[in-house]
Amino acid sequence: MLFDIRTIVGGLLACYGVILIVVALAYNTDFQRAKTGGIDINLWAGIGMTVVGLIFFAWVRLRPVPQLTSADDETE
């Protein structure tokens, strides 16, 4: 489960999302809001990325990849 691509993608999205949330909370100026039309885009993008990353983690836990058995490996 550790090397499943969903785990890697979910981890990256969640990590970048948390970074964006921290940047939005620490570096929030009027100039930044003026560039985006009054919306704190770093905050909303960070929340969205974190949620999608958590959805990827839930996907891994709720629907794992089927494990191969030794009977599946044998070819006749």
Side-chain angles (χ1 to χ4, degrees):
M1 180 162 62
L2 179 63
F3 295 110
D4 189 0
I5 190 69
R6 297 173 291 183
T7 306
I8 296 168
V9 171
L12 285 173
L13 283 172
C15 182
Y16 287 140
V18 169
I19 290 171
L20 279 175
I21 291 171
V22 170
V23 167
L25 297 176
Y27 187 67
N28 189 10
T29 63
D30 291 333
F31 178 69
Q32 293 292 330
R33 284 190 176 212
K35 289 194 315 185
T36 59
I39 300 171
D40 192 359
I41 196 68
N42 285 336
L43 180 64
W44 288 107
I47 291 171
M49 290 175 80
T50 304
V51 168
V52 171
L54 293 176
I55 289 171
F56 267 85
F57 286 134
W59 185 20
V60 170
R61 297 291 287 163
L62 298 174
R63 196 166 180 184
V65 176
Q67 301 296 323
L68 294 177
T69 61
S70 60
D72 293 337
D73 292 337
E74 295 177 10
T75 57
E76 296 183 77

